[in-house]
Amino acid sequence: EAPRSSRVVDMRSAAIELTVGASASQRRLGFTATAGLADPPDGYKGGTVPGSYLAAEVYPLALRRAPSPLANLGVTLHAEKVLKIETRVPYDDINGVRMTSIRPTKQSRFGAGLVYRHPIGARLLVKGMVSYQTSTFFVQKQGSPVVVDVPSVSYGLLAPGAGVRYLANDKLSASLDARYLVVTKSGE
């Protein structure tokens, strides 16, 4: 085995992988109301908003000199926060003039879990993962001149998934991940 200082570490065997980037989110809420309900809730149709994304995968056993299949077992952490979002609530004032109440809004997502990576050939990497995530959407309702029917919600999600990464060269890769979201907790 080559001395540790001369070993080549590529993206498929690194002990720590850090991803920083931009994200885009869009939120839509729809409600099914009983026929004849006096005041059914309005839906929510938000535009696409910018966010920031930070993720880390840490493979503690990849730091060891001796190769091991367990070196590909890691812990994953991620955080996403929408940078600018607001909720617009239309209403009629006391004179019947159409107005809009602009409510400060926050949206974020955090998660942690386990990941297993498996290199295939020189340029392909497949992953299996499971994580627990929390997702929060909060609308500031205090101080609004009108009742804000859009709920502030917080979800807990179990997210098993799989992914593939293609290494184009030493510094560039393309990834595709898919997850199935199982809601474990919801509420306002």
Side-chain angles (χ1 to χ4, degrees), residues 136-151:
T136 303
F137 180 79
F138 174 78
V139 179
Q140 177 66 46
K141 297 178 182 180
Q142 275 186 306
S144 176
V146 64
V147 173
V148 179
D149 279 341
V150 178

Side-chain angles (χ1 to χ4, degrees), residues 4 25 37 53 81 107 114 123 126 137 139-140:
R4 185 179 188 102
S25 298
L37 185 64
Y53 182 79
K81 183 167 177 45
Q107 184 174 330
L114 297 174
R123 300 215 175 263
V126 293
F137 180 79
V139 179
Q140 177 66 46

Side-chain angles (χ1 to χ4, degrees), residues 86-93 97-103 144-146:
E86 58 190 22
T87 299
R88 295 174 177 263
V89 183
Y91 69 98
D92 293 329
D93 72 4
V97 176
R98 195 68 170 165
M99 304 289 285
T100 300
S101 174
I102 300 174
R103 309 309 314 145
S144 176
V146 64

